[in-house]
């Protein structure tokens, strides 16, 4: 099948690589010509494990271009994977999606299945349908399908091949699209959940909101654990052993970040408020997350009452391991906070970089070992394997102070203590 994928971002590239591996011919389009040029030259502009390899392996089945009209003509199926960022009032910026539909409306000459993969608020698929009709496009020329993505950065390729479910939202009178989608994804063995447009859109928001709730819940429990000498790792283990709860997404830390949870939670609050529905649970999830870093910094301040001009090392810049994505990264918020407190901040990340406008507030080292030399404190902000497996003997021999703040509860506390270092985790007494 000839498939057009609009938006060569984290989701669009992963989808392109996986669908090519399934045997489809992919026409991946982006408005960013620099990005497309890189891709045409065999360079993948983002770091996502296995992505580059999979794109290279399928290079005969993937073309990259900026020519959207041309790709629309060539393909019967169009995936829309452009970004849908949050706006300051919590609503979703649908301008990229809108602009894609404007181009589709102008160039649609034969029947297309238009699949919206980007995360969009309930009502958006309907809105795009109304838009095409208003532009004079015949309703017999297309069907719109909502097919939200559940890809975790860092394991997106694996998630693409082994999804827990494939959600599709279709219009009531649409008899064609389910067959087409099942055909596209025929290599997958996961169940299909077929619902309405709004149902599919809500499944995406509810899923991310629930996962964010689990994280804020365990972070709140961690705060209580601290005062009662209980270890939140044991609590999470005991809690997660109940299959009704499950063990995943119960890792306490300095809060969730990334391009999805913060914006999707806010979007859900926003769409509920628009209908005068109160969201006390979502409000609390946001409240815990937005104060988690502040709460953790107090631990640093208890140990180092004045950090003015003190050298402090933050390990990790990305919002989570195995990605170079820094969107809404708690690590960056931590670096900014330490800088505002007057600390001399040093940092290291295996793949992510400080954005250009923040390079003056911290020194980013090229090697893990050089980043903590003579530091008063080392703070773990992202649980990269390389950071979790730090050589504590080397750390102990090279740092000035002895404080290790494990902001992701990912290092071996006993090992750290064995070298005479002072360990402070999240909710670990
Ligand atoms: C995706 C989803 O699309 C988003 O809705 C979801 O919530 C998170 O995951 P992501 O892949 O992370 O977004 O976005 P990003 O990496 O920003 O890539 C979007 C791409 O779309 C960019 O390369 C941008 O240049 C491109 N784009 C944007 C277009 O090609 N056309 C446009 O009109 C606008
Ligand atoms: C998320 C969803 O998991 C995915 O299904 C959706 O499609 C896109 O959004 P992603 O943002 O890539 O994926 O990362 P995820 O693994 O969900 O982590 C999000 C944030 O939560 C990270 O900052 C991570 O460090 C944090 N987190 C995660 C915790 O603090 N504790 C946990 O137990 C799990």
């Amino acid at each position: 099948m000839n498939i057009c994928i609009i938006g060569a971002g984290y989701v669009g590239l992963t989808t392109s690589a996986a669908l090519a591996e399934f045997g489809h011919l992919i026409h991946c389009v982006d408005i960013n010509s620099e990005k497309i040029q890189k891709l045409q030259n065999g360079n993948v502009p983002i770091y996502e494990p296995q992505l580059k390899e999979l794109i290279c392996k399928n290079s005969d089945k993937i073309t990259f271009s900026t020519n959207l009209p041309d790709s629309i003509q060539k393909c019967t199926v169009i995936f829309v994977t452009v970004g849908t960022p949050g706006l300051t009032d919590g609503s979703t910026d649908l301008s990229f999606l809108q602009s894609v539909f404007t181009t589709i409306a102008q160039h649609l000459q034969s029947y297309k299945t238009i699949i919206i993969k980007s995360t969009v608020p309930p009502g958006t698929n309907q809105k795009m349908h109304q838009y095409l009709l208003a532009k004079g496009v015949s309703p017999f020329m297309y069907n719109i399908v909502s097919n939200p993505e559940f890809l975790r950065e860092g394991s997106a390729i694996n998630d693409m091949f082994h999804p827990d479910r494939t959600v599709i939202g279709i219009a009531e009178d649409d008899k064609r699209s389910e067959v087409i989608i099942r055909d596209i994804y025929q290599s997958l063995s996961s169940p299909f959940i077929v619902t309405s447009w709004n149902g599919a859109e809500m499944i995406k928001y509810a899923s991310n909101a629930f996962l964010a709730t689990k994280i804020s819940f365990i972070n709140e429990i961690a705060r209580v654990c601290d005062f009662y000498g209980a270890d939140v790792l044991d609590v999470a283990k005991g809690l997660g052993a109940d299959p009704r709860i499950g063990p995943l997404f119960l890792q306490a830390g300095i809060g969730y970040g990334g391009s999805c949870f913060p914006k999707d939670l806010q979007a859900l609050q926003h769409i509920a408020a628009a209908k005068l529905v109160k969201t006390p649970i979502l409000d609390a999830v946001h409240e815990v997350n937005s104060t988690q870093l502040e709460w953790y910094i107090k631990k640093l301040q208890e140990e180092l009452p004045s950090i003015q001009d003190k050298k402090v090392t933050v390990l990790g810049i990305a919002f989570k391991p195995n990605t170079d994505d820094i969107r809404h990264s708690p690590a960056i918020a931590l670096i900014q906070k330490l800088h505002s407190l007057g600390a001399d901040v040093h940092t290291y990340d295996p793949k992510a970089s400080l954005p250009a406008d923040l390079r003056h507030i911290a020194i980013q080292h090229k090697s893990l070992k050089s980043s903590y030399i003579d530091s008063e404190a080392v703070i773990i902000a992202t649980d990269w394997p390389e950071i979790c497996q730090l050589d504590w003997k080397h750390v102990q021999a090279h740092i000035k102070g002895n404080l290790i703040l494990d902001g992701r509860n990912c290092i071996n506390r006993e090992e750290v203590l064995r070298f005479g270092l002072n360990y402070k985790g999240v909710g670990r007494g």
Side-chain angles (χ1 to χ4, degrees):
M1 211 181 283
N2 271 292
I3 298 178
C4 168
I5 299 194
I6 310 174
Y10 285 84
V11 173
L13 286 175
T14 305
T15 307
S16 297
L19 294 186
E21 179 74 10
F22 293 162
H24 302 296
L25 296 177
I26 306 301
H27 304 255
C28 182
V29 188
D30 202 290
I31 47 168
N32 184 334
S33 51
E34 205 183 312
K35 194 180 253 190
I36 289 298
Q37 206 163 14
K38 273 190 189 159
L39 287 160
Q40 286 169 337
N41 293 334
N43 299 313
V44 176
I46 53 165
Y47 174 72
E48 178 64 39
Q50 300 173 52
L51 179 62
K52 192 171 180 197
E53 293 79 350
L54 204 59
I55 289 178
C56 283
K57 185 180 167 213
N58 290 289
S59 58
D60 56 330
K61 284 183 256 158
I62 312 178
T63 58
F64 296 102
S65 93
T66 52
N67 191 340
L68 182 53
D70 180 56
S71 300
I72 292 172
Q73 305 302 339
K74 286 179 181 151
C75 301
T76 49
V77 171
I78 301 170
F79 274 87
V80 186
T81 59
V82 294
T84 49
L87 294 169
T88 40
D89 65 353
S91 65
T92 307
D93 180 357
L94 295 174
S95 60
F96 301 135
L97 189 80
Q98 186 65 63
S99 118
V100 164
F101 271 81
T102 300
T103 312
I104 293 176
Q106 286 162 354
H107 298 277
L108 200 133
Q109 284 166 6
S110 57
Y111 179 82
K112 313 283 173 199
T113 303
I114 308 166
I115 303 168
I116 301 184
K117 214 173 224 328
S118 302
T119 306
V120 292
T124 307
N125 280 260
Q126 174 72 34
K127 207 162 137 187
M128 292 302 125
H129 171 54
Q130 294 303 337
Y131 178 76
L132 291 183
L133 293 180
K135 287 281 166 190
V137 180
S138 159
F140 301 107
M141 292 287 277
Y142 69 91
N143 271 305
I144 295 180
V145 180
S146 169
N147 173 219
E149 51 83 18
F150 299 96
L151 307 173
R152 289 162 300 173
E153 286 178 30
S155 55
I157 295 289
N158 185 61
D159 292 346
M160 197 70 210
F161 289 117
H162 307 284
D164 302 311
R165 74 294 208 193
T166 298
V167 173
I168 55 174
I170 52 180
E172 227 170 87
D173 56 353
D174 181 0
K175 305 278 175 266
R176 260 167 116 161
S177 299
E178 188 181 341
V179 178
I180 294 171
I181 300 270
R182 284 186 188 268
D183 192 21
I184 296 170
Y185 292 128
Q186 60 178 288
S187 315
L188 302 178
S189 54
S190 55
F192 277 72
I193 295 166
V194 184
T195 176
S196 61
W197 282 329
N198 288 13
E201 291 163 334
M202 271 307 288
I203 288 172
K204 174 62 195 258
Y205 279 103
S207 302
N208 273 1
F210 191 79
L211 293 170
T213 304
K214 282 188 95 174
I215 300 170
S216 277
F217 176 82
I218 200 69
N219 282 339
E220 186 169 299
I221 293 293
R223 297 184 193 191
V224 183
C225 282
D226 256 352
F227 286 96
Y228 287 92
D231 187 336
V232 76
L233 288 190
D234 296 341
V235 177
K237 201 172 165 189
L239 194 60
D242 183 331
R244 292 170 301 176
I245 299 171
L248 304 178
F249 278 69
L250 288 177
Q251 185 181 354
I254 54 173
Y256 59 76
S259 70
C260 292
F261 284 179
K263 92 162 158 66
D264 292 350
L265 193 87
Q266 276 187 38
L268 188 51
Q269 287 171 299
H270 187 84
I271 57 167
K275 301 289 179 196
L276 304 180
V277 178
K278 290 201 163 75
T279 52
I281 294 179
L282 303 181
D283 300 348
V285 171
H286 173 70
E287 159 75 14
V288 171
N289 199 58
S290 59
T291 54
Q292 186 67 4
L293 190 60
E294 219 171 278
W295 168 82
Y296 194 58
I297 279 179
K298 285 208 183 101
K299 283 178 186 270
L300 171 69
Q301 290 174 318
E302 278 161 21
E303 303 294 324
L304 277 180
S306 164
I307 61 168
Q308 181 76 33
D309 298 326
K310 298 246 167 71
K311 182 171 174 180
V312 174
T313 299
V314 174
L315 295 180
I317 296 173
F319 83 97
K320 64 180 280 191
N322 300 315
T323 179
D324 59 355
D325 197 346
I326 56 165
R327 288 178 283 183
H328 298 280
S329 172
I332 300 236
L334 173 63
I335 290 170
Q336 286 174 307
K337 180 72 190 169
L338 294 171
H339 173 72
S340 74
L341 292 170
D344 170 21
V345 189
H346 291 243
T347 185
Y348 166 78
D349 190 286
K351 295 287 177 194
S353 300
L354 280 172
D357 61 334
L358 291 184
R359 286 191 193 137
H360 66 287
I361 69 167
I363 294 170
Q364 181 170 355
H365 291 254
K366 286 201 166 66
S367 91
L368 175 57
K369 284 187 170 164
S370 70
S371 69
Y372 52 74
I373 289 170
D374 292 334
S375 273
E376 295 284 348
V378 173
I379 313 177
I380 288 144
T382 315
D383 41 344
W384 281 94
E386 182 187 356
I387 292 170
C388 299
Q389 287 145 26
L390 254 171
D391 174 355
W392 294 109
K393 189 173 176 200
H394 188 274
V395 176
Q396 189 268 334
H398 291 87
I399 63 172
K400 196 167 166 192
N402 73 343
L403 183 58
I404 309 296
L405 286 120
D406 184 4
R408 290 291 176 191
N409 282 355
C410 63
I411 58 176
N412 186 327
R413 174 170 60 183
E414 285 62 44
E415 185 78 354
V416 172
L417 296 175
R418 198 159 68 83
F419 287 104
L421 298 164
N422 179 8
Y423 175 96
K424 292 282 164 204
V426 178
R428 306 200 64 194

